[in-house]
Each structure stands twice: as C-alpha cells, then as structure tokens.
C-alpha cells in the first residue's frame, strides 16, 4: 500500500466511523425531547424512564462523536496539509461556525444531563431541544464544507494561487443546499430506523413491551417521514450533479456511451475492461429524465471524458445502486408504518416487528454508500477540477501504520460502545418502573 | 482585525490549557493516589468537571480552526513535522474521553470499572505530556523545513523526541496536576482537603523543579528559545510575579479560601504561559533555519476580517451560555 492509498483509506475509515456517531448524536436528542415532552404532559413514568435511558445513550454517543470529530479536525491537516494550506482560509467559515455550534451543543448538553431537578423544568426541556438543533446545524455546516470540495467557489484560481477569497460565497457554494438537505434527511432516516429496530427486537423478545412500543413509535415516526422525503431530495441531488459533475453522474450510472434518451441501469455487473455493464435491467430513457427532466436529453458518457479524470466506476456505481435500492425499500416500509397506524392488529403480529428488526442497519448502510458515491465519485480531485488528491497528501512516509492504528482503535471502540448499549438495554429491562 | 484574531487565538489557547489542563490534571492526581483516595477523587472529578468537561475540550478545536483558517502556512508546518506527537495526543484524547463516559454511564458497575479507571488515569497522564512535547518541539529549533534529502528520523522524529521537548512535556503535566489539585481542594471536606493540599504542594515542587531543569538544559545547550527567555525583561518580570504569587496562594489554601486560591493558581499558570508567549512572539515556531512568524504567515485580509467577525459573533453567543453553565454548577463562585 503506498502512502496516498493509506492516507485515503484512513480518511475514509475515520469519516465512516465518525458519521455514525455524529448522526446518532444529532438525531437522538430529538427522540429524547419528544419522550421528555410526553412525560411532562402525561406524567406517565414510562416516558421518564425512556427519556433517562435515551439520555444516557446520547451522552455515550455524543462523546464518541466528539472525540472522533476532534481527531478528524486534526486529520484534515495531518493527512492533507497541502489541501488545508490553500482550502483552509476559504472554507474556514463553516468550520468556525461549526465550532460555535459545538459549543452551544456542549453547553446545552451540560445543562440537560446535569440539570434534572436543579433548573426550571421548562428551561431544562429546552436545553435538550437546543442540543438537537445545534447538532443539526453543525452537520449542515460540515456538509457545506464538503459541498465546496464538489463545487468550489468563492475564490479565483490564477497560476496555482487562490486569490480574491470570499468565504461567504464559499460557504454558500452551489452544492451546499442539496447536499445538506439530503444529509440531514439521511441522518434522521438512518437513526430512526436503527433505534426503531432495536426497540422492535425488544418487543419481539417480550420484554417491557409497553415501553419499547412507545420508544419504537417515536423513533420510527421520525425515520419514516425522512425516508419518504429522501428520494425527492436525492432526485434534486442527481439533477445537480448532472450539471456540475457530469463525470460523477456517468460513473454513478456506469454510463459509458454518450447518448440521447439514455437508459437507466438497475443492477448489473460492471466490466471495466470492456467498458460495459452486464446482466442489468434497462429502463429506456429514464436516465435522461432523471438527470435533466427530459426523456430525450443527451447524457455524456464516460468514454467522452479524459481517462485521467475518471473515478473508479465500479465502486461508485455499486455504492449508488445500494443507496437507491435501500432508499426505495425504506420508503416503502415508511409508508407501511403509516398504514399500520390505521391497522392496529398488525402490531400484534410477529412479522411486523421482524421487518423492522431486519431493517435496523439499512439506513446506515445507505448513508455510508451515499458518501462513497460522493467521495469516490469526486476522485481524482480533492477539490473538483482544481487540486488532485495526490498533490495534497502529507509528505511524511509510513502512513500505513497510522491507518492500522486507527483501525485497531476504532474497532475496539465500536465493540465497546455496542457492548455498553446492550448493557443499557439490559438495565432498562431489568429495572422496575419508578 | 488581525489582532482580534490573535487575541482569540491566545485566549482560546490559555483557556484550553487552564480548563482542559485542570481536567487532565485531575486524572494525573487520581493516577498518583492511594486506592482509597482514588475512589474519592473519581467521585469529586465527576461532580466538579462532569458538566463542563465537553465544553473544556472544544477550546482546542477553536485553536486548530483559527490556525488553519488564519495562519495556513504556520499550521502546515505543525501538521507536517509534528504529525506523530499530534497523533499520539489524539489517541490520548480519544481514550480519555471515552473512558470518562464509560465509567460514569455504564449501566452496571462491575469489574469493567477497573479497566475504565486505568485507561482514564494513564491517558490523563500521557496526553498532556505529548501536548507539552509538541509545544516544546515548536520552540526547540529542531524542525528542518528545507527540502534537502534528510532522513525520516531527522525530519519527523528528532524535532519532538529530544530531551528539551520531553522536559517541556513533563513540565506541562506537572502544571496540570497543580491546577487540578488546587481545584479539588475547594471541593473536598476538611478531612479530604488535607490530601489535596499535600498533592498541590507536591505538584508545585514538581513544577518548579522541572521548570528549573528545562531552563538549565536550554542554557547549557544554548537553545534560542531559552536564551531569549532569560534575556527578556518582560519574561523575567512575569515569571517573578508568578513566583511571588505562591505566598498568597499558600495563605489562601491554609485559610480554605477556595475561590481566591483557584484564581491565584490560575493566574500563576497564565503568567508562566504569557512569559513563554512574550519571549518569542510573533515568531512562534523556531526551526533550525530560523523562525516562522505568526503575523507573516497570516491569510489575506479578507479572510482575517471574516474570521474576526465570525469569532466576535460566536463569542457573543457562546460566552454568556458557558458562563451560565459554569455558574449554575458552581464552578465559579466569584459572583456569589
Ligand atoms: C439514509 C441514507 C440515504 C438514502 C436512503 C438515500 N441517500 Fe442519497 N446520499 C446519502 C444518503 C442516502 C448521503 C450519505 O447522505 C449522501 C452523501 C453526500 C450527501 O450529501 O448525501 C448521499 C448522496 C447522494 C447523491 C450524490 C450527491 C453529491 O455527490 O453531491 C445522489 C445523487 C443521491 N444521494 C441520490 C439519492 C437517491 C436518488 C435516493 C433515492 C432513494 C437516495 N439518494 C437515497
Ligand atoms: C461523514 C461522512 C463522510 C464519509 C463517509 C466520507 C467518505 C470519504 C471517503 C470514502 C473518502 C476516500 C475517497 C477516495 O480517496 O477514494 C473520503 C475522502 C475525503 N473526504 Fe470525505 N466523507 C465524508 C464527509 C466529508 C466531509 C464533510 C469532508 C470535508 C469537509 C470530507 C473531506 C474529505 C477529504 C479532504 C478527503 C480526502 C481527499 C480525497 O480522497 O478526495 N469528507 N471521504
Ligand atoms: C471532515 C469532516 C468532519 C470534521 C472535521 C468534523 C469535526 C467534528 C468535530 C471537531 C466534532 C467534535 C465537536 C465536539 O467536541 O462536540 C464533531 C462532532 C460532530 N460532527 Fe463532525 N466532523 C466532520 C464530519 C461530519 C459530518 C459529515 C457530519 C454530519 C453530517 C458531522 C456532524 C457532527 C455532529 C452532529 C457532531 C456533534 C457530536 C455529536 O453529537 O455526536 N460531522 N465533528
């Protein structure tokens, strides 16, 4: 493995780890405040118990998210010093605002966790809400920085120098809105289905059924609404990409030949040697329509782009298929959930709960796949059309060792956090109602 | 505007060193405690530091963001040549953070606590040492930025793995322990207080002793930073002031004046840090070929202006909230 590959793998690995914790840290507070509100309104002790147990979850995930995020903010410089030297001043704005959002979040969390029975009830509840809102705000801000890498703006690139920097324009780059919207929905979808799945499993095992059904309902409501909106927002993203990063679009669809009225491929095996896709299902003209809103529009194929600016087609295409496939599945199940609210007897069947248990990890798989599409699809650029990834990497050799260290560290952390969560649930099930 | 940014940078760094320093130090004290007082310290740490623990550590993120936005070339040198110690700092921060929550939020209290406790104590000790080594490396003059073919060892190891940097690392760890001991004195009842008073005294002696070693090593080896340090009248003034504060501090500790003693201990540390900053401002990194100046490597004025405005607005939003948090949980008693 050479240095560049090791650095790329390390970046990918640490981001994939962070994103899971960040999403949970971003979305769980909303579940928590809903349960808390219900406790305040109904004084049903089940809700208090649920709130307190989710709050512990938030605390554990928040810290893991925070430490891995701190590591990331160093890593941007440690791994890509050339990138940060030039990009830092341009996209510093979202990151400095993000710093502010973290502060708000940490302060509010301090109040929330330690404020039970110490500060006024209402204010206490609001601090919980603020934790969630500032978490979402920081998510939007980082994604805007990522959007800038896809759609660089707010500077002039003259003879290898970045001049006339306008940080506000860089923050509001053309990609920020579609990406941030899609990401926020993804966080809600993924966390909603994951949490709902865990509680569905407890219902199946007949433990504290009333409590877990209530928990399930709160989580899945968020998840299902987001899952239903997700494809709409994904379509906006795809139209955006078609204009801004046509190579990425072509790689996502494994679309080799430039064509008018291009077909959409579903499934299929990419043959990178012969530059074709085998065993696929073809939907005529659909790609042209999805990308440009016109069944006969021309979609440029990979063969018409220079070889050295093409990303890895197979990875991008498979990841895209996984995301869209799972997105469709989650959409359908989201609708199913809303129907089940009218057909309460479904809730007594084994099958109903089994579906949600099976879907628990799918949101997160879709989310990771989506990021692979975005990031691998941008290669070989670190800043689209401006700077190549290989020119940004640290000159320090031996990055493989650093990569291995992170793999070991984060694998242990993953196991530890999973173990802690099972213990939380066990404690929840064993305890008497207060 | 550049000076607004520089002030935020300096204040954030000082706050990180003070707040997170006390936080690291609490773990160091726990490390060097007997079994019985370890459990006691653990409880006290949770009560005192728990609510603000997260907020304390965000200061380092602010420092990093200000550096990369405002001083990109400066940041670049740190990230390339001090990659290894910074990675070790991150490793320490990660293990420390997770062991802190694990030990307080695990649903069952059983044998696994022993593991969390040791992870917490060891990482509390090691992290500030590496952080201090990074500071030491910045001024030890061993960073070689010329692109001539130099070995891996010369480029990436020697800058931070040298006696001077190690001494600075130990010095910083001792400072942290000192801060924490003074903080904990105020939280303990009279019986326990004796333990922390003794710890504070030991830490104080360690600070002076190691500080003396740092200076003598620097003088013997004619390090630019140290010779600058002892020949600068302001520096000497600040350090002497800090030394004089020991007298009122001892008095306040005896009289159990907890606010004043925290304040005095904090001031001592701030004075020492200011002395170090004054010595070589604005040439904050000393490399083998000369200096890298903070002001010379600043980003263009548009960027600095926007950064300054963001910081001012952010500060106006956050500081009241943070202050309220500290106050609500009785970290600052000045207002009472
Ligand atoms: C729960 C997760 C999830 C689900 C169900 C979907 N996505 Fe997605 N998608 C993401 C999670 C995600 C993501 C991980 O959040 C990405 C990566 C970068 C981003 O902003 O969002 C993403 C990126 C992304 C991109 C690339 C954006 C870019 O590179 O700038 C496109 C075109 C789509 N998505 C399209 C879709 C479509 C048409 C879906 C239809 C069902 C869909 N996504 C479902
Ligand atoms: C959290 C969700 C994210 C995931 C899972 C993710 C995933 C990845 C992956 C897989 C790569 C490697 C691509 C390759 O080299 O083939 C990568 C690279 C990178 N990502 Fe992301 N990314 C995420 C968000 C971000 C954000 C928000 C930023 C910046 C603000 C960012 C900045 C980078 C940089 C600088 C690289 C290295 C350069 C490159 O390979 O292009 N990423 N990421
Ligand atoms: C290169 C990319 C990234 C960097 C440098 C980064 C940086 C950070 C840092 C420094 C923290 C810790 C703040 C604290 O102490 O509370 C953090 C936490 C967080 N990050 Fe990231 N992050 C990145 C990617 C992302 C992405 C893609 C998202 C989501 C969309 C995200 C969302 C969050 C959230 C919500 C938190 C709050 C912690 C929590 O609630 O668990 N981050 N991140």
């Amino acid at each position: 493995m050479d240095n560049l590959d090791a650095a790329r793998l390390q970046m990918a690995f640490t981001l994939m780890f962070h994103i899971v914790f960040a999403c949970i840290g971003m979305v769980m507070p909303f579940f928590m405040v809903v349960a808390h509100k219900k406790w305040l309104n109904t004084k049903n002790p089940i809700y208090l118990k649920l709130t307190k147990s989710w709050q512990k979850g938030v605390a554990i995930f928040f810290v893991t998210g925070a430490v891995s995020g701190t590591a990331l903010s160093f890593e941007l410089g440690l791994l890509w010093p050339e990138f940060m030297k030039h990009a830092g001043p341009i996209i510093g704005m979202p990151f400095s605002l993000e710093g502010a959002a973290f502060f708000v979040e940490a302060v509010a969390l301090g109040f929330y966790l330690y404020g039970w029975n110490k500060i006024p009830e209402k204010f206490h509840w609001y601090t919980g809400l603020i934790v969630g809102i500032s978490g979402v705000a920081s998510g939007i801000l980082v994604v805007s920085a990522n959007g800038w890498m896809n759609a660089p703006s707010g500077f002039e690139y003259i003879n290898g120098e970045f001049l006339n920097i306008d940080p506000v324009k860089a923050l509001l780059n053309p990609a920020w809105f579609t990406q941030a919207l899609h990401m926020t929905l993804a966080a809600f979808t993924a966390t909603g289905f994951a949490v709902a799945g865990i509680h569905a499993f407890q219902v199946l095992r007949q433990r504290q059924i009333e409590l877990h059904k209530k928990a399930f309902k709160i989580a899945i409501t968020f998840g299902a609404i987001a899952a239903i909106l997700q494809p709409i927002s994904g379509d906006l993203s795809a139209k955006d990409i078609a204009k801004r990063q046509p190579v990425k679009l072509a790689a996502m669809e494994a679309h080799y030949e430039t064509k008018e009225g291009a077909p959409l491929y579903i499934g299929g095996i990419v043959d990178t040697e012969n530059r074709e896709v085998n065993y696929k299902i073809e939907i005529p003209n659909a790609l042209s329509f999805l990308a440009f809103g016109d069944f006969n529009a021309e979609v440029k194929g990979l063969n018409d782009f220079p070889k050295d600016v093409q990303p890895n087609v197979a990875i991008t295409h498979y990841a895209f298929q996984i995301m869209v496939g799972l997105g469709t599945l989650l959409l359908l199940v989201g609708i199913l959930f809303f129907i089940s609210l009218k057909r309460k007897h479904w809730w007594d069947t084994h099958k109903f709960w089994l579906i949600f248990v099976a879907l628990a990890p799918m949101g997160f798989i879709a989310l990771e796949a989506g990021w692979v599409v975005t990031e691998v699809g941008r290669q070989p650029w670190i800043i689209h059309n401006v700077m190549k990834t290989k020119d940004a990497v640290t000159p320090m050799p031996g990055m493989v060792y650093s990569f291995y260290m992170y793999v070991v560290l984060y694998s242990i952390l993953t196991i530890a956090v999973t173990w802690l969560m099972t213990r939380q649930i066990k404690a929840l099930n064993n305890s008497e109602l207060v | 505007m550049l000076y607004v940014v520089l002030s935020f940078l300096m204040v954030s760094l000082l706050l990180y060193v003070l707040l997170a320093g006390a936080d690291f130090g609490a773990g160091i004290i726990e490390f060097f405690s007997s079994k019985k007082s370890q459990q006691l310290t653990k409880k006290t740490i949770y009560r005192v530091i728990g609510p603000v623990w997260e907020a304390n550590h965000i200061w380092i993120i602010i420092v990093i963001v200000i550096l990369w936005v405002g001083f990109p070339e400066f940041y670049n040198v740190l990230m390339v040549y001090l990659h290894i110690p910074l990675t070790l700092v991150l490793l320490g921060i990660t293990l420390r953070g997770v062991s802190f929550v694990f030990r307080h939020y695990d649903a069952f209290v059983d044998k696994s606590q022993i593991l969390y406790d040791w992870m917490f104590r060891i990482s509390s000790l090691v992290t500030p040492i590496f952080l201090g080594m990074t500071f030491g490396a910045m001024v030890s003059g061993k960073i070689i930025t010329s692109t001539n073919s130099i070995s891996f060892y010369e480029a990436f190891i020697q800058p931070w793995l040298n006696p001077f940097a190690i001494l600075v690392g130990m010095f910083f760890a001792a400072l942290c322990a000192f801060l924490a001991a003074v903080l904990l004195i105020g939280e303990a009842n009279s019986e326990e207080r004796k333990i922390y008073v003794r710890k504070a005294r030991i830490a104080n002696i360690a600070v002076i002793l190691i500080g003396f070693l740092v200076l003598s090593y620097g003088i013997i080896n004619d390090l630019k930073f140290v010779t600058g340090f002892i020949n600068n009248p302001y520096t000497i003034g600040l350090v002497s002031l800090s030394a004089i504060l020991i007298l009122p501090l001892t008095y306040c500790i005896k009289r159990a004046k907890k606010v004043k003693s925290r304040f005095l201990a904090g001031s001592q540390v701030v004075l020492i840090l200011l002395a170090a900053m004054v010595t070589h401002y604005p040439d904050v990194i000393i490399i083998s070929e000369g200096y890298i100046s903070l002001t010379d490597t600043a980003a263009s004025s548009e960027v600095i202006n926007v950064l300054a405005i963001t910081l001012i607005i952010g500060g106006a939003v956050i500081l009241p909230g943070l202050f309220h948090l500290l106050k609500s949980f009785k970290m600052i008693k000045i207002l009472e």
Side-chain angles (χ1 to χ4, degrees), chain A residues 179 182-183 186 230-231 234 238 241 248 252 323 327 363 366-367 370-371 374:
Chain A
Q179 270 197 254
H182 198 60
M183 174 67 222
Q230 192 74 324
I241 300 270
K248 193 193 259 183
M252 273 154 55
M323 170 175 62
L367 187 138
W371 276 105
T374 306

Side-chain angles (χ1 to χ4, degrees), chain B residues 231-244:
Chain B
N231 289 324
N232 184 323
Y234 296 108
T235 310
I236 299 297
L238 289 165
V239 173
S240 327
L241 198 60
S242 166
I244 292 169

Side-chain angles (χ1 to χ4, degrees), chain A residues 256-275:
Chain A
Y256 282 106
E257 292 290 337
T258 302
K259 248 191 210 142
E260 283 173 20
L264 183 71
Y265 296 157
I266 295 182
I269 308 237
V270 182
D271 180 349
T272 37
E273 291 276 299
N274 299 316
R275 304 179 75 76

Side-chain angles (χ1 to χ4, degrees), chain B residues 7-321:
Chain B
S7 332
F8 266 95
L9 180 62
M10 204 177 78
V11 171
S12 308
L13 187 63
L14 282 178
L15 283 173
Y16 182 69
V17 167
L18 277 184
L19 297 171
D23 195 343
F24 287 131
I28 301 179
I29 299 228
E30 205 184 299
F31 187 95
F32 288 111
S33 291
S34 66
K35 254 217 167 79
K36 193 172 126 251
S37 60
Q38 260 170 356
Q39 286 310 316
L40 181 83
T41 310
K42 178 173 168 181
K43 279 208 201 81
T44 323
I45 292 178
Y46 181 64
R47 206 177 63 233
V48 183
I49 295 176
V52 286
W53 173 88
E54 254 302 308
N56 287 351
H57 281 267
I58 299 182
W59 293 110
I60 191 71
I61 301 173
I62 306 281
V63 169
I64 287 296
V65 170
I66 294 180
L67 280 180
W68 94 40
V69 178
F71 310 93
E73 264 170 75
F74 184 91
Y75 173 79
N76 186 285
V77 171
L78 286 186
M79 289 293 144
V80 173
Y81 296 98
L82 301 179
H83 188 124
I84 299 172
L86 285 173
T87 303
L88 293 170
V89 169
L90 286 178
L91 184 68
I93 290 180
T94 308
L95 290 177
R96 191 171 177 286
V98 294
S99 50
F100 182 85
V101 256
F102 284 6
R103 71 185 199 166
H104 294 296
Y105 284 93
D106 195 349
F108 300 102
V109 178
D110 56 16
K111 279 215 192 88
S112 45
Q113 288 287 333
I114 301 173
L115 180 69
Y116 308 147
D117 284 347
W118 279 107
M119 230 162 86
F120 179 76
R121 289 168 200 152
I122 293 172
S123 49
S124 293
L125 177 64
V126 174
T127 314
I129 293 185
F130 281 120
L131 203 60
M133 282 170 81
T134 312
F135 292 140
M138 281 167 69
V139 295
S140 63
K142 293 241 160 54
I143 297 178
I144 305 169
T145 57
S146 63
T147 41
N148 302 340
S149 60
I150 51 172
S151 68
F152 182 82
Y153 175 78
E154 283 169 309
F156 301 109
I157 307 265
Q158 195 189 19
W160 55 277
L161 199 60
N162 58 53
F164 180 72
I166 294 173
L167 282 172
V168 175
M170 286 164 56
F171 180 72
F172 184 59
L175 269 188
C176 293
F178 171 65
L179 279 171
V182 175
L183 182 73
L184 291 173
I185 290 171
E187 291 299 321
N189 62 34
S190 58
E191 191 45 41
E192 299 155 1
R193 187 174 298 135
K194 282 203 197 99
I195 304 175
Y196 296 123
V197 170
R198 218 188 61 229
K199 298 238 140 73
R201 211 166 281 146
I202 298 174
N204 204 337
I205 294 171
V207 169
I208 296 171
L209 218 62
I210 303 174
F212 184 71
L213 282 178
V214 170
L215 288 184
S216 8
Y217 180 86
I219 294 170
I220 293 168
N221 292 283
D222 202 22
L223 288 187
K224 274 185 221 162
F225 174 73
V226 177
T227 47
F229 194 87
I230 52 175
N231 289 324
N232 184 323
Y234 296 108
T235 310
I236 299 297
L238 289 165
V239 173
S240 327
L241 198 60
S242 166
I244 292 169
L245 287 183
I246 291 185
L247 298 173
L249 180 65
T250 322
Y251 173 81
C252 286
I253 288 178
K254 255 203 193 108
R255 284 293 158 92
K257 294 205 179 350
K258 54 183 179 178
V259 178
K260 283 210 188 92
S261 50
R262 280 176 198 177
F263 189 72
L264 285 169
S267 316
Q268 276 193 308
V269 174
V270 169
L271 286 170
I272 294 176
L273 290 169
L274 278 180
M277 286 184 187
V278 166
T279 309
H280 61 151
Y281 174 83
D283 306 316
V284 183
I285 300 182
I286 303 180
I287 55 177
S288 67
E289 304 92 343
Y291 300 99
I292 296 180
S293 147
L294 206 51
T295 44
D296 290 354
T297 55
S300 68
S301 60
E302 303 104 305
V303 173
I304 293 287
N305 289 348
V306 174
L307 178 62
I309 294 166
T310 322
L311 287 171
I312 291 171
I313 297 174
V317 174
I318 291 151
L319 292 178

Side-chain angles (χ1 to χ4, degrees), chain A residues 308-311 376-382 387-390:
Chain A
D308 65 342
V309 299
Q310 295 188 15
V376 176
R378 189 185 57 239
Q379 302 305 317
W381 303 104
I382 189 168
M387 184 189 279
K388 291 236 170 106
T389 309
K390 67 173 166 35

Side-chain angles (χ1 to χ4, degrees), chain A residues 55-56 59-60 62-64 66-67 70-71 73-79 81-82 84-86 88-93 95-97 99-100 102-104 106-107 109-111 113-115 118-119 123 164-165 167-168 394-399 402 405-406 409-410 413 416-417 419-420 423-424 426-427 430, chain B residues 46 49-62 64-65 68-70 72-73 75-76 78-80 82-84 86-91 93-95 97-98 100-102 104-110 112 116 119 152 156 299-300 302-303 306-307 310-311 314 317-318 321-322 324-325 328-329:
Chain A
Q55 145 189 314
K56 279 198 175 181
I60 294 173
F62 184 84
V63 168
T64 326
V67 289
T70 310
S73 53
F74 277 88
E75 265 182 273
L76 279 179
L78 290 173
L79 299 179
E82 274 308 298
M84 287 311 287
K85 187 164 148 187
H86 301 290
I90 310 176
I91 53 163
M93 175 115 173
F95 283 110
S96 28
L97 288 172
F102 287 145
F103 249 123
V104 174
V107 169
L109 192 72
F111 272 115
L113 293 181
Y114 295 84
K118 283 195 198 122
I119 53 179
F123 177 67
N164 298 328
I165 295 171
V168 180
T394 176
M396 190 180 97
M399 285 311 302
S402 159
M405 184 197 86
Y406 275 99
L409 176 67
Y410 284 2
L413 282 189
V417 171
W419 184 68
L420 280 181
R423 279 159 64 104
Q424 292 292 347
K426 220 188 266 166
N430 291 344
Chain B
Y46 181 64
I49 295 176
V52 286
W53 173 88
E54 254 302 308
N56 287 351
H57 281 267
I58 299 182
W59 293 110
I60 191 71
I61 301 173
I62 306 281
I64 287 296
V65 170
W68 94 40
V69 178
E73 264 170 75
Y75 173 79
N76 186 285
L78 286 186
M79 289 293 144
V80 173
L82 301 179
H83 188 124
I84 299 172
L86 285 173
T87 303
L88 293 170
V89 169
L90 286 178
L91 184 68
I93 290 180
T94 308
L95 290 177
V98 294
F100 182 85
V101 256
F102 284 6
H104 294 296
Y105 284 93
D106 195 349
F108 300 102
V109 178
D110 56 16
S112 45
Y116 308 147
M119 230 162 86
F152 182 82
F156 301 109
S300 68
E302 303 104 305
V303 173
V306 174
L307 178 62
T310 322
L311 287 171
V317 174
I318 291 151
L322 193 61
H324 194 68
L325 179 70
S328 298
F329 296 105

Side-chain angles (χ1 to χ4, degrees), chain A residues 62-243:
Chain A
F62 184 84
V63 168
T64 326
V67 289
S68 59
T70 310
L72 270 178
S73 53
F74 277 88
E75 265 182 273
L76 279 179
L78 290 173
L79 299 179
W80 317 104
E82 274 308 298
F83 166 67
M84 287 311 287
K85 187 164 148 187
H86 301 290
I90 310 176
I91 53 163
M93 175 115 173
F95 283 110
S96 28
L97 288 172
E98 196 203 9
F102 287 145
F103 249 123
V104 174
E105 194 176 356
V107 169
L109 192 72
F111 272 115
Y112 191 81
L113 293 181
Y114 295 84
W116 288 93
N117 305 326
K118 283 195 198 122
I119 53 179
E121 217 171 49
K122 228 185 175 154
F123 177 67
H124 183 224
W125 183 80
Y126 272 111
T127 57
L129 187 64
I130 292 173
V131 175
I133 293 175
S134 47
V136 169
S138 47
I140 291 176
L141 287 161
V142 245
V143 172
S144 150
N146 183 264
W148 180 83
M149 293 162 61
N150 285 320
S153 54
F155 65 95
E156 280 171 64
Y157 188 60
I158 301 164
N159 297 332
E161 292 210 49
F162 295 73
L163 302 173
N164 298 328
I165 295 171
D166 179 351
V168 180
K169 211 163 148 201
L171 169 72
L172 300 175
N173 58 71
W176 89 271
F177 180 74
T178 43
Q179 270 197 254
L181 175 69
H182 198 60
M183 174 67 222
T184 310
L185 288 173
F188 276 91
T189 311
T191 313
F193 273 90
V195 174
I198 290 168
H199 291 286
F201 184 65
Q202 300 301 320
V203 175
L204 267 185
R205 315 245 331 230
Q206 306 276 327
R207 292 192 185 124
Q208 305 251 2
I209 294 183
E210 205 189 339
L211 177 123
H212 288 296
K213 278 191 177 166
K214 286 191 163 42
F216 167 81
K217 199 169 158 190
I218 295 175
I220 196 67
T221 307
F222 279 100
I225 294 175
I228 293 170
L229 297 175
Q230 192 74 324
I232 306 172
S233 133
D235 182 50
L236 284 179
S237 295
K239 292 202 161 51
D240 220 32
I241 300 270
K243 277 192 296 224

